[in-house]
Amino acid sequence: QVQLVEFGGGLVQAGGSLRLSCAASGRTFSMYTMGWFRQAPGKEREFVAAMSWSGSDTYYADSVKGRFTISRDNAKNTVYLHMNSLNPEDTAVYYCAAVFDDGYMVSDFEYDYWGQGTQVTVSS
């Protein structure tokens, strides 16, 4: 069982940056693929970024590639999402997710554990 708690959301102006953090419970954090998803009002939840358990593989949605970076610190049981050049289209609730597996995990149904979400609002 893994519990996830996100931190770092907030209000930022277009062009600004934010860093989201997701703290995970459990002693086997390093064996989980970690992902970030987001859901904007009136839209379905969508994949943002993922990192394999080893950290050697990362995956990004085309809409955030080159602007967002996912990273993890297994010693701190934490995964991060560094977001730069934010624009109003990035406004959404951002969710951290985990799955006890490795591989190309970019669909929400592949993840077993979810955080409560943190709101990111980008003003124009």
Side-chain angles (χ1 to χ4, degrees), residues 76-114:
K76 295 183 178 179
N77 279 17
T78 302
V79 63
Y80 305 96
L81 185 67
H82 308 260
M83 305 185 294
N84 297 318
S85 302
L86 286 161
N87 58 63
E89 290 69 40
D90 296 316
T91 295
V93 177
Y94 283 71
Y95 297 91
C96 173
V99 58
F100 189 69
D101 202 344
D102 198 17
Y104 184 66
M105 306 286 186
V106 299
S107 298
D108 58 1
F109 64 82
E110 296 176 299
Y111 287 80
D112 296 320
Y113 303 101
W114 292 84

PDB file of all heavy atoms in Angstrom, residues 76-114:
ATOM      1  N   LYS A  76      14.315  10.138  -0.390  1.00  0.00           N
ATOM      2  CA  LYS A  76      13.291  10.949   0.280  1.00  0.00           C
ATOM      3  C   LYS A  76      11.881  10.484  -0.051  1.00  0.00           C
ATOM      4  O   LYS A  76      10.906  11.123   0.355  1.00  0.00           O
ATOM      5  CB  LYS A  76      13.454  12.417  -0.113  1.00  0.00           C
ATOM      6  CG  LYS A  76      14.757  13.048   0.352  1.00  0.00           C
ATOM      7  CD  LYS A  76      14.818  14.521  -0.018  1.00  0.00           C
ATOM      8  CE  LYS A  76      16.097  15.168   0.492  1.00  0.00           C
ATOM      9  NZ  LYS A  76      16.182  16.597   0.123  1.00  0.00           N
ATOM     10  N   ASN A  77      11.754   9.393  -0.807  1.00  0.00           N
ATOM     11  CA  ASN A  77      10.426   8.906  -1.210  1.00  0.00           C
ATOM     12  C   ASN A  77       9.600  10.015  -1.856  1.00  0.00           C
ATOM     13  O   ASN A  77       8.398  10.163  -1.577  1.00  0.00           O
ATOM     14  CB  ASN A  77       9.666   8.334  -0.009  1.00  0.00           C
ATOM     15  CG  ASN A  77      10.095   6.912   0.318  1.00  0.00           C
ATOM     16  OD1 ASN A  77      11.149   6.463  -0.129  1.00  0.00           O
ATOM     17  ND2 ASN A  77       9.303   6.217   1.114  1.00  0.00           N
ATOM     18  N   THR A  78      10.222  10.775  -2.720  1.00  0.00           N
ATOM     19  CA  THR A  78       9.560  11.940  -3.297  1.00  0.00           C
ATOM     20  C   THR A  78       9.795  12.002  -4.801  1.00  0.00           C
ATOM     21  O   THR A  78      10.901  11.746  -5.279  1.00  0.00           O
ATOM     22  CB  THR A  78      10.062  13.238  -2.643  1.00  0.00           C
ATOM     23  OG1 THR A  78       9.819  13.178  -1.230  1.00  0.00           O
ATOM     24  CG2 THR A  78       9.339  14.450  -3.197  1.00  0.00           C
ATOM     25  N   VAL A  79       8.746  12.371  -5.511  1.00  0.00           N
ATOM     26  CA  VAL A  79       8.848  12.635  -6.936  1.00  0.00           C
ATOM     27  C   VAL A  79       8.455  14.095  -7.161  1.00  0.00           C
ATOM     28  O   VAL A  79       7.604  14.629  -6.453  1.00  0.00           O
ATOM     29  CB  VAL A  79       7.967  11.669  -7.754  1.00  0.00           C
ATOM     30  CG1 VAL A  79       6.494  11.837  -7.434  1.00  0.00           C
ATOM     31  CG2 VAL A  79       8.218  11.840  -9.243  1.00  0.00           C
ATOM     32  N   TYR A  80       9.091  14.700  -8.122  1.00  0.00           N
ATOM     33  CA  TYR A  80       8.884  16.124  -8.393  1.00  0.00           C
ATOM     34  C   TYR A  80       8.425  16.342  -9.826  1.00  0.00           C
ATOM     35  O   TYR A  80       8.713  15.547 -10.725  1.00  0.00           O
ATOM     36  CB  TYR A  80      10.189  16.901  -8.176  1.00  0.00           C
ATOM     37  CG  TYR A  80      10.806  16.731  -6.823  1.00  0.00           C
ATOM     38  CD1 TYR A  80      11.811  15.793  -6.615  1.00  0.00           C
ATOM     39  CD2 TYR A  80      10.390  17.499  -5.741  1.00  0.00           C
ATOM     40  CE1 TYR A  80      12.398  15.627  -5.370  1.00  0.00           C
ATOM     41  CE2 TYR A  80      10.961  17.337  -4.492  1.00  0.00           C
ATOM     42  CZ  TYR A  80      11.964  16.401  -4.313  1.00  0.00           C
ATOM     43  OH  TYR A  80      12.524  16.237  -3.073  1.00  0.00           O
ATOM     44  N   LEU A  81       7.731  17.446 -10.021  1.00  0.00           N
ATOM     45  CA  LEU A  81       7.412  17.897 -11.366  1.00  0.00           C
ATOM     46  C   LEU A  81       7.799  19.377 -11.445  1.00  0.00           C
ATOM     47  O   LEU A  81       7.171  20.223 -10.815  1.00  0.00           O
ATOM     48  CB  LEU A  81       5.925  17.723 -11.686  1.00  0.00           C
ATOM     49  CG  LEU A  81       5.538  18.071 -13.133  1.00  0.00           C
ATOM     50  CD1 LEU A  81       6.166  17.064 -14.102  1.00  0.00           C
ATOM     51  CD2 LEU A  81       4.025  18.079 -13.303  1.00  0.00           C
ATOM     52  N   HIS A  82       8.861  19.644 -12.187  1.00  0.00           N
ATOM     53  CA  HIS A  82       9.325  21.001 -12.371  1.00  0.00           C
ATOM     54  C   HIS A  82       8.628  21.556 -13.605  1.00  0.00           C
ATOM     55  O   HIS A  82       8.783  21.004 -14.702  1.00  0.00           O
ATOM     56  CB  HIS A  82      10.839  21.021 -12.565  1.00  0.00           C
ATOM     57  CG  HIS A  82      11.598  20.295 -11.508  1.00  0.00           C
ATOM     58  ND1 HIS A  82      12.226  20.941 -10.452  1.00  0.00           N
ATOM     59  CD2 HIS A  82      11.842  18.975 -11.322  1.00  0.00           C
ATOM     60  CE1 HIS A  82      12.814  20.060  -9.685  1.00  0.00           C
ATOM     61  NE2 HIS A  82      12.594  18.846 -10.179  1.00  0.00           N
ATOM     62  N   MET A  83       7.911  22.649 -13.440  1.00  0.00           N
ATOM     63  CA  MET A  83       7.120  23.201 -14.535  1.00  0.00           C
ATOM     64  C   MET A  83       7.602  24.605 -14.861  1.00  0.00           C
ATOM     65  O   MET A  83       7.568  25.493 -13.999  1.00  0.00           O
ATOM     66  CB  MET A  83       5.635  23.225 -14.146  1.00  0.00           C
ATOM     67  CG  MET A  83       5.096  21.870 -13.708  1.00  0.00           C
ATOM     68  SD  MET A  83       3.317  21.872 -13.392  1.00  0.00           S
ATOM     69  CE  MET A  83       3.242  22.938 -11.966  1.00  0.00           C
ATOM     70  N   ASN A  84       8.046  24.780 -16.077  1.00  0.00           N
ATOM     71  CA  ASN A  84       8.520  26.085 -16.548  1.00  0.00           C
ATOM     72  C   ASN A  84       7.659  26.570 -17.699  1.00  0.00           C
ATOM     73  O   ASN A  84       6.917  25.802 -18.308  1.00  0.00           O
ATOM     74  CB  ASN A  84       9.975  25.973 -17.002  1.00  0.00           C
ATOM     75  CG  ASN A  84      10.917  25.583 -15.888  1.00  0.00           C
ATOM     76  OD1 ASN A  84      10.806  26.070 -14.763  1.00  0.00           O
ATOM     77  ND2 ASN A  84      11.838  24.688 -16.188  1.00  0.00           N
ATOM     78  N   SER A  85       7.786  27.854 -17.993  1.00  0.00           N
ATOM     79  CA  SER A  85       7.049  28.464 -19.109  1.00  0.00           C
ATOM     80  C   SER A  85       5.571  28.104 -19.066  1.00  0.00           C
ATOM     81  O   SER A  85       4.973  27.725 -20.083  1.00  0.00           O
ATOM     82  CB  SER A  85       7.669  28.032 -20.448  1.00  0.00           C
ATOM     83  OG  SER A  85       9.029  28.398 -20.515  1.00  0.00           O
ATOM     84  N   LEU A  86       4.997  28.230 -17.908  1.00  0.00           N
ATOM     85  CA  LEU A  86       3.596  27.867 -17.733  1.00  0.00           C
ATOM     86  C   LEU A  86       2.686  28.792 -18.529  1.00  0.00           C
ATOM     87  O   LEU A  86       2.973  29.993 -18.690  1.00  0.00           O
ATOM     88  CB  LEU A  86       3.227  27.901 -16.257  1.00  0.00           C
ATOM     89  CG  LEU A  86       3.777  26.724 -15.432  1.00  0.00           C
ATOM     90  CD1 LEU A  86       3.785  27.056 -13.952  1.00  0.00           C
ATOM     91  CD2 LEU A  86       2.966  25.473 -15.707  1.00  0.00           C
ATOM     92  N   ASN A  87       1.611  28.236 -19.012  1.00  0.00           N
ATOM     93  CA  ASN A  87       0.609  29.024 -19.733  1.00  0.00           C
ATOM     94  C   ASN A  87      -0.770  28.666 -19.199  1.00  0.00           C
ATOM     95  O   ASN A  87      -0.925  27.656 -18.485  1.00  0.00           O
ATOM     96  CB  ASN A  87       0.726  28.800 -21.238  1.00  0.00           C
ATOM     97  CG  ASN A  87       0.562  27.346 -21.627  1.00  0.00           C
ATOM     98  OD1 ASN A  87      -0.507  26.767 -21.415  1.00  0.00           O
ATOM     99  ND2 ASN A  87       1.599  26.750 -22.193  1.00  0.00           N
ATOM    100  N   PRO A  88      -1.771  29.467 -19.496  1.00  0.00           N
ATOM    101  CA  PRO A  88      -3.106  29.218 -18.926  1.00  0.00           C
ATOM    102  C   PRO A  88      -3.657  27.831 -19.247  1.00  0.00           C
ATOM    103  O   PRO A  88      -4.465  27.298 -18.471  1.00  0.00           O
ATOM    104  CB  PRO A  88      -3.955  30.323 -19.559  1.00  0.00           C
ATOM    105  CG  PRO A  88      -2.991  31.446 -19.776  1.00  0.00           C
ATOM    106  CD  PRO A  88      -1.707  30.771 -20.184  1.00  0.00           C
ATOM    107  N   GLU A  89      -3.219  27.234 -20.349  1.00  0.00           N
ATOM    108  CA  GLU A  89      -3.689  25.892 -20.699  1.00  0.00           C
ATOM    109  C   GLU A  89      -3.152  24.824 -19.740  1.00  0.00           C
ATOM    110  O   GLU A  89      -3.623  23.684 -19.763  1.00  0.00           O
ATOM    111  CB  GLU A  89      -3.283  25.541 -22.127  1.00  0.00           C
ATOM    112  CG  GLU A  89      -4.018  26.315 -23.226  1.00  0.00           C
ATOM    113  CD  GLU A  89      -3.635  27.775 -23.269  1.00  0.00           C
ATOM    114  OE1 GLU A  89      -2.431  28.090 -23.086  1.00  0.00           O
ATOM    115  OE2 GLU A  89      -4.532  28.629 -23.484  1.00  0.00           O
ATOM    116  N   ASP A  90      -2.193  25.173 -18.930  1.00  0.00           N
ATOM    117  CA  ASP A  90      -1.668  24.240 -17.926  1.00  0.00           C
ATOM    118  C   ASP A  90      -2.491  24.246 -16.638  1.00  0.00           C
ATOM    119  O   ASP A  90      -2.226  23.459 -15.724  1.00  0.00           O
ATOM    120  CB  ASP A  90      -0.217  24.594 -17.584  1.00  0.00           C
ATOM    121  CG  ASP A  90       0.722  24.430 -18.765  1.00  0.00           C
ATOM    122  OD1 ASP A  90       0.606  23.408 -19.475  1.00  0.00           O
ATOM    123  OD2 ASP A  90       1.563  25.325 -18.985  1.00  0.00           O
ATOM    124  N   THR A  91      -3.465  25.120 -16.559  1.00  0.00           N
ATOM    125  CA  THR A  91      -4.321  25.190 -15.375  1.00  0.00           C
ATOM    126  C   THR A  91      -5.102  23.889 -15.214  1.00  0.00           C
ATOM    127  O   THR A  91      -5.784  23.447 -16.138  1.00  0.00           O
ATOM    128  CB  THR A  91      -5.295  26.367 -15.483  1.00  0.00           C
ATOM    129  OG1 THR A  91      -4.556  27.590 -15.466  1.00  0.00           O
ATOM    130  CG2 THR A  91      -6.297  26.361 -14.338  1.00  0.00           C
ATOM    131  N   ALA A  92      -4.952  23.267 -14.062  1.00  0.00           N
ATOM    132  CA  ALA A  92      -5.595  21.977 -13.812  1.00  0.00           C
ATOM    133  C   ALA A  92      -5.303  21.546 -12.385  1.00  0.00           C
ATOM    134  O   ALA A  92      -4.463  22.143 -11.702  1.00  0.00           O
ATOM    135  CB  ALA A  92      -5.068  20.911 -14.781  1.00  0.00           C
ATOM    136  N   VAL A  93      -5.988  20.497 -11.965  1.00  0.00           N
ATOM    137  CA  VAL A  93      -5.592  19.787 -10.751  1.00  0.00           C
ATOM    138  C   VAL A  93      -4.569  18.742 -11.169  1.00  0.00           C
ATOM    139  O   VAL A  93      -4.826  17.951 -12.087  1.00  0.00           O
ATOM    140  CB  VAL A  93      -6.795  19.131 -10.061  1.00  0.00           C
ATOM    141  CG1 VAL A  93      -6.337  18.340  -8.843  1.00  0.00           C
ATOM    142  CG2 VAL A  93      -7.822  20.180  -9.663  1.00  0.00           C
ATOM    143  N   TYR A  94      -3.440  18.755 -10.514  1.00  0.00           N
ATOM    144  CA  TYR A  94      -2.353  17.826 -10.839  1.00  0.00           C
ATOM    145  C   TYR A  94      -2.324  16.702  -9.818  1.00  0.00           C
ATOM    146  O   TYR A  94      -2.345  16.947  -8.608  1.00  0.00           O
ATOM    147  CB  TYR A  94      -1.024  18.564 -10.859  1.00  0.00           C
ATOM    148  CG  TYR A  94      -0.838  19.385 -12.118  1.00  0.00           C
ATOM    149  CD1 TYR A  94      -1.585  20.542 -12.334  1.00  0.00           C
ATOM    150  CD2 TYR A  94       0.064  18.995 -13.108  1.00  0.00           C
ATOM    151  CE1 TYR A  94      -1.438  21.280 -13.498  1.00  0.00           C
ATOM    152  CE2 TYR A  94       0.226  19.733 -14.270  1.00  0.00           C
ATOM    153  CZ  TYR A  94      -0.532  20.870 -14.458  1.00  0.00           C
ATOM    154  OH  TYR A  94      -0.385  21.606 -15.613  1.00  0.00           O
ATOM    155  N   TYR A  95      -2.245  15.486 -10.331  1.00  0.00           N
ATOM    156  CA  TYR A  95      -2.257  14.295  -9.498  1.00  0.00           C
ATOM    157  C   TYR A  95      -0.961  13.515  -9.653  1.00  0.00           C
ATOM    158  O   TYR A  95      -0.458  13.331 -10.766  1.00  0.00           O
ATOM    159  CB  TYR A  95      -3.417  13.379  -9.883  1.00  0.00           C
ATOM    160  CG  TYR A  95      -4.779  13.967  -9.682  1.00  0.00           C
ATOM    161  CD1 TYR A  95      -5.416  14.667 -10.701  1.00  0.00           C
ATOM    162  CD2 TYR A  95      -5.451  13.823  -8.466  1.00  0.00           C
ATOM    163  CE1 TYR A  95      -6.678  15.208 -10.524  1.00  0.00           C
ATOM    164  CE2 TYR A  95      -6.712  14.359  -8.281  1.00  0.00           C
ATOM    165  CZ  TYR A  95      -7.313  15.053  -9.309  1.00  0.00           C
ATOM    166  OH  TYR A  95      -8.563  15.591  -9.118  1.00  0.00           O
ATOM    167  N   CYS A  96      -0.485  13.033  -8.542  1.00  0.00           N
ATOM    168  CA  CYS A  96       0.633  12.112  -8.518  1.00  0.00           C
ATOM    169  C   CYS A  96       0.072  10.688  -8.484  1.00  0.00           C
ATOM    170  O   CYS A  96      -0.956  10.439  -7.841  1.00  0.00           O
ATOM    171  CB  CYS A  96       1.468  12.402  -7.270  1.00  0.00           C
ATOM    172  SG  CYS A  96       2.790  11.258  -6.938  1.00  0.00           S
ATOM    173  N   ALA A  97       0.750   9.768  -9.164  1.00  0.00           N
ATOM    174  CA  ALA A  97       0.274   8.380  -9.203  1.00  0.00           C
ATOM    175  C   ALA A  97       1.460   7.426  -9.142  1.00  0.00           C
ATOM    176  O   ALA A  97       2.575   7.781  -9.547  1.00  0.00           O
ATOM    177  CB  ALA A  97      -0.538   8.135 -10.468  1.00  0.00           C
ATOM    178  N   ALA A  98       1.183   6.211  -8.666  1.00  0.00           N
ATOM    179  CA  ALA A  98       2.238   5.214  -8.521  1.00  0.00           C
ATOM    180  C   ALA A  98       1.735   3.843  -8.924  1.00  0.00           C
ATOM    181  O   ALA A  98       0.561   3.516  -8.735  1.00  0.00           O
ATOM    182  CB  ALA A  98       2.730   5.168  -7.066  1.00  0.00           C
ATOM    183  N   VAL A  99       2.630   3.057  -9.467  1.00  0.00           N
ATOM    184  CA  VAL A  99       2.316   1.671  -9.795  1.00  0.00           C
ATOM    185  C   VAL A  99       3.546   0.823  -9.519  1.00  0.00           C
ATOM    186  O   VAL A  99       4.679   1.212  -9.839  1.00  0.00           O
ATOM    187  CB  VAL A  99       1.851   1.522 -11.267  1.00  0.00           C
ATOM    188  CG1 VAL A  99       2.897   2.022 -12.236  1.00  0.00           C
ATOM    189  CG2 VAL A  99       1.487   0.073 -11.567  1.00  0.00           C
ATOM    190  N   PHE A 100       3.308  -0.352  -8.919  1.00  0.00           N
ATOM    191  CA  PHE A 100       4.391  -1.268  -8.569  1.00  0.00           C
ATOM    192  C   PHE A 100       4.751  -2.075  -9.805  1.00  0.00           C
ATOM    193  O   PHE A 100       4.396  -3.235  -9.959  1.00  0.00           O
ATOM    194  CB  PHE A 100       3.945  -2.178  -7.422  1.00  0.00           C
ATOM    195  CG  PHE A 100       5.045  -3.009  -6.832  1.00  0.00           C
ATOM    196  CD1 PHE A 100       6.064  -2.430  -6.105  1.00  0.00           C
ATOM    197  CD2 PHE A 100       5.051  -4.387  -6.988  1.00  0.00           C
ATOM    198  CE1 PHE A 100       7.074  -3.185  -5.548  1.00  0.00           C
ATOM    199  CE2 PHE A 100       6.056  -5.168  -6.434  1.00  0.00           C
ATOM    200  CZ  PHE A 100       7.069  -4.565  -5.725  1.00  0.00           C
ATOM    201  N   ASP A 101       5.443  -1.402 -10.704  1.00  0.00           N
ATOM    202  CA  ASP A 101       5.801  -2.018 -11.979  1.00  0.00           C
ATOM    203  C   ASP A 101       6.787  -1.105 -12.677  1.00  0.00           C
ATOM    204  O   ASP A 101       7.037   0.017 -12.233  1.00  0.00           O
ATOM    205  CB  ASP A 101       4.543  -2.208 -12.839  1.00  0.00           C
ATOM    206  CG  ASP A 101       4.699  -3.283 -13.898  1.00  0.00           C
ATOM    207  OD1 ASP A 101       5.855  -3.678 -14.173  1.00  0.00           O
ATOM    208  OD2 ASP A 101       3.678  -3.716 -14.460  1.00  0.00           O
ATOM    209  N   ASP A 102       7.312  -1.563 -13.754  1.00  0.00           N
ATOM    210  CA  ASP A 102       8.248  -0.775 -14.537  1.00  0.00           C
ATOM    211  C   ASP A 102       7.808  -0.836 -15.995  1.00  0.00           C
ATOM    212  O   ASP A 102       7.192  -1.805 -16.417  1.00  0.00           O
ATOM    213  CB  ASP A 102       9.669  -1.305 -14.379  1.00  0.00           C
ATOM    214  CG  ASP A 102      10.712  -0.291 -14.813  1.00  0.00           C
ATOM    215  OD1 ASP A 102      10.368   0.905 -14.923  1.00  0.00           O
ATOM    216  OD2 ASP A 102      11.866  -0.676 -15.036  1.00  0.00           O
ATOM    217  N   GLY A 103       8.126   0.226 -16.731  1.00  0.00           N
ATOM    218  CA  GLY A 103       7.762   0.208 -18.134  1.00  0.00           C
ATOM    219  C   GLY A 103       7.163   1.516 -18.586  1.00  0.00           C
ATOM    220  O   GLY A 103       7.227   2.524 -17.897  1.00  0.00           O
ATOM    221  N   TYR A 104       6.565   1.488 -19.745  1.00  0.00           N
ATOM    222  CA  TYR A 104       5.997   2.664 -20.400  1.00  0.00           C
ATOM    223  C   TYR A 104       4.576   2.878 -19.881  1.00  0.00           C
ATOM    224  O   TYR A 104       3.608   2.401 -20.454  1.00  0.00           O
ATOM    225  CB  TYR A 104       6.010   2.449 -21.902  1.00  0.00           C
ATOM    226  CG  TYR A 104       5.545   3.623 -22.707  1.00  0.00           C
ATOM    227  CD1 TYR A 104       6.256   4.810 -22.747  1.00  0.00           C
ATOM    228  CD2 TYR A 104       4.373   3.540 -23.473  1.00  0.00           C
ATOM    229  CE1 TYR A 104       5.839   5.872 -23.513  1.00  0.00           C
ATOM    230  CE2 TYR A 104       3.944   4.596 -24.241  1.00  0.00           C
ATOM    231  CZ  TYR A 104       4.685   5.759 -24.260  1.00  0.00           C
ATOM    232  OH  TYR A 104       4.261   6.814 -25.027  1.00  0.00           O
ATOM    233  N   MET A 105       4.445   3.590 -18.776  1.00  0.00           N
ATOM    234  CA  MET A 105       3.170   3.764 -18.085  1.00  0.00           C
ATOM    235  C   MET A 105       2.650   5.164 -18.334  1.00  0.00           C
ATOM    236  O   MET A 105       3.045   6.106 -17.650  1.00  0.00           O
ATOM    237  CB  MET A 105       3.351   3.525 -16.580  1.00  0.00           C
ATOM    238  CG  MET A 105       3.985   2.215 -16.237  1.00  0.00           C
ATOM    239  SD  MET A 105       2.852   0.860 -16.469  1.00  0.00           S
ATOM    240  CE  MET A 105       3.825  -0.509 -15.809  1.00  0.00           C
ATOM    241  N   VAL A 106       1.767   5.325 -19.297  1.00  0.00           N
ATOM    242  CA  VAL A 106       1.261   6.655 -19.633  1.00  0.00           C
ATOM    243  C   VAL A 106      -0.257   6.740 -19.596  1.00  0.00           C
ATOM    244  O   VAL A 106      -0.838   7.772 -19.964  1.00  0.00           O
ATOM    245  CB  VAL A 106       1.785   7.112 -21.005  1.00  0.00           C
ATOM    246  CG1 VAL A 106       3.305   7.185 -21.007  1.00  0.00           C
ATOM    247  CG2 VAL A 106       1.275   6.189 -22.103  1.00  0.00           C
ATOM    248  N   SER A 107      -0.919   5.693 -19.168  1.00  0.00           N
ATOM    249  CA  SER A 107      -2.380   5.693 -19.073  1.00  0.00           C
ATOM    250  C   SER A 107      -2.796   5.614 -17.620  1.00  0.00           C
ATOM    251  O   SER A 107      -2.192   4.870 -16.837  1.00  0.00           O
ATOM    252  CB  SER A 107      -2.955   4.500 -19.833  1.00  0.00           C
ATOM    253  OG  SER A 107      -2.625   4.573 -21.204  1.00  0.00           O
ATOM    254  N   ASP A 108      -3.836   6.356 -17.277  1.00  0.00           N
ATOM    255  CA  ASP A 108      -4.203   6.406 -15.857  1.00  0.00           C
ATOM    256  C   ASP A 108      -4.663   5.049 -15.338  1.00  0.00           C
ATOM    257  O   ASP A 108      -4.468   4.745 -14.150  1.00  0.00           O
ATOM    258  CB  ASP A 108      -5.238   7.495 -15.584  1.00  0.00           C
ATOM    259  CG  ASP A 108      -6.513   7.334 -16.377  1.00  0.00           C
ATOM    260  OD1 ASP A 108      -6.621   6.359 -17.147  1.00  0.00           O
ATOM    261  OD2 ASP A 108      -7.415   8.201 -16.239  1.00  0.00           O
ATOM    262  N   PHE A 109      -5.237   4.198 -16.172  1.00  0.00           N
ATOM    263  CA  PHE A 109      -5.710   2.907 -15.687  1.00  0.00           C
ATOM    264  C   PHE A 109      -4.557   1.980 -15.305  1.00  0.00           C
ATOM    265  O   PHE A 109      -4.759   0.957 -14.659  1.00  0.00           O
ATOM    266  CB  PHE A 109      -6.614   2.227 -16.715  1.00  0.00           C
ATOM    267  CG  PHE A 109      -5.942   1.858 -18.008  1.00  0.00           C
ATOM    268  CD1 PHE A 109      -5.194   0.689 -18.119  1.00  0.00           C
ATOM    269  CD2 PHE A 109      -6.060   2.665 -19.123  1.00  0.00           C
ATOM    270  CE1 PHE A 109      -4.576   0.342 -19.306  1.00  0.00           C
ATOM    271  CE2 PHE A 109      -5.445   2.328 -20.319  1.00  0.00           C
ATOM    272  CZ  PHE A 109      -4.698   1.172 -20.413  1.00  0.00           C
ATOM    273  N   GLU A 110      -3.346   2.318 -15.681  1.00  0.00           N
ATOM    274  CA  GLU A 110      -2.185   1.498 -15.346  1.00  0.00           C
ATOM    275  C   GLU A 110      -1.676   1.771 -13.924  1.00  0.00           C
ATOM    276  O   GLU A 110      -0.833   1.022 -13.432  1.00  0.00           O
ATOM    277  CB  GLU A 110      -1.057   1.755 -16.347  1.00  0.00           C
ATOM    278  CG  GLU A 110      -1.391   1.343 -17.770  1.00  0.00           C
ATOM    279  CD  GLU A 110      -0.309   1.692 -18.763  1.00  0.00           C
ATOM    280  OE1 GLU A 110      -0.004   2.899 -18.903  1.00  0.00           O
ATOM    281  OE2 GLU A 110       0.232   0.766 -19.402  1.00  0.00           O
ATOM    282  N   TYR A 111      -2.155   2.832 -13.301  1.00  0.00           N
ATOM    283  CA  TYR A 111      -1.667   3.223 -11.990  1.00  0.00           C
ATOM    284  C   TYR A 111      -2.629   2.775 -10.895  1.00  0.00           C
ATOM    285  O   TYR A 111      -3.844   2.842 -11.055  1.00  0.00           O
ATOM    286  CB  TYR A 111      -1.460   4.739 -11.930  1.00  0.00           C
ATOM    287  CG  TYR A 111      -0.259   5.181 -12.725  1.00  0.00           C
ATOM    288  CD1 TYR A 111      -0.323   5.326 -14.114  1.00  0.00           C
ATOM    289  CD2 TYR A 111       0.959   5.423 -12.095  1.00  0.00           C
ATOM    290  CE1 TYR A 111       0.793   5.705 -14.849  1.00  0.00           C
ATOM    291  CE2 TYR A 111       2.073   5.816 -12.823  1.00  0.00           C
ATOM    292  CZ  TYR A 111       1.980   5.957 -14.200  1.00  0.00           C
ATOM    293  OH  TYR A 111       3.089   6.321 -14.917  1.00  0.00           O
ATOM    294  N   ASP A 112      -2.064   2.358  -9.784  1.00  0.00           N
ATOM    295  CA  ASP A 112      -2.862   1.799  -8.690  1.00  0.00           C
ATOM    296  C   ASP A 112      -3.091   2.776  -7.540  1.00  0.00           C
ATOM    297  O   ASP A 112      -4.055   2.615  -6.795  1.00  0.00           O
ATOM    298  CB  ASP A 112      -2.160   0.556  -8.131  1.00  0.00           C
ATOM    299  CG  ASP A 112      -2.064  -0.557  -9.161  1.00  0.00           C
ATOM    300  OD1 ASP A 112      -3.045  -0.747  -9.913  1.00  0.00           O
ATOM    301  OD2 ASP A 112      -1.026  -1.241  -9.206  1.00  0.00           O
ATOM    302  N   TYR A 113      -2.205   3.723  -7.374  1.00  0.00           N
ATOM    303  CA  TYR A 113      -2.291   4.614  -6.224  1.00  0.00           C
ATOM    304  C   TYR A 113      -2.280   6.063  -6.698  1.00  0.00           C
ATOM    305  O   TYR A 113      -1.528   6.424  -7.617  1.00  0.00           O
ATOM    306  CB  TYR A 113      -1.111   4.364  -5.259  1.00  0.00           C
ATOM    307  CG  TYR A 113      -1.033   2.942  -4.796  1.00  0.00           C
ATOM    308  CD1 TYR A 113      -0.122   2.055  -5.361  1.00  0.00           C
ATOM    309  CD2 TYR A 113      -1.888   2.466  -3.801  1.00  0.00           C
ATOM    310  CE1 TYR A 113      -0.047   0.737  -4.944  1.00  0.00           C
ATOM    311  CE2 TYR A 113      -1.826   1.147  -3.385  1.00  0.00           C
ATOM    312  CZ  TYR A 113      -0.914   0.292  -3.963  1.00  0.00           C
ATOM    313  OH  TYR A 113      -0.859  -1.009  -3.545  1.00  0.00           O
ATOM    314  N   TRP A 114      -3.088   6.875  -6.023  1.00  0.00           N
ATOM    315  CA  TRP A 114      -3.254   8.267  -6.436  1.00  0.00           C
ATOM    316  C   TRP A 114      -3.241   9.194  -5.230  1.00  0.00           C
ATOM    317  O   TRP A 114      -3.726   8.835  -4.148  1.00  0.00           O
ATOM    318  CB  TRP A 114      -4.588   8.443  -7.169  1.00  0.00           C
ATOM    319  CG  TRP A 114      -4.614   7.741  -8.483  1.00  0.00           C
ATOM    320  CD1 TRP A 114      -4.902   6.430  -8.704  1.00  0.00           C
ATOM    321  CD2 TRP A 114      -4.318   8.309  -9.760  1.00  0.00           C
ATOM    322  NE1 TRP A 114      -4.800   6.146 -10.045  1.00  0.00           N
ATOM    323  CE2 TRP A 114      -4.444   7.284 -10.718  1.00  0.00           C
ATOM    324  CE3 TRP A 114      -3.950   9.578 -10.187  1.00  0.00           C
ATOM    325  CZ2 TRP A 114      -4.212   7.493 -12.080  1.00  0.00           C
ATOM    326  CZ3 TRP A 114      -3.724   9.794 -11.536  1.00  0.00           C
ATOM    327  CH2 TRP A 114      -3.858   8.757 -12.471  1.00  0.00           C
TER     328      TRP A 114
END
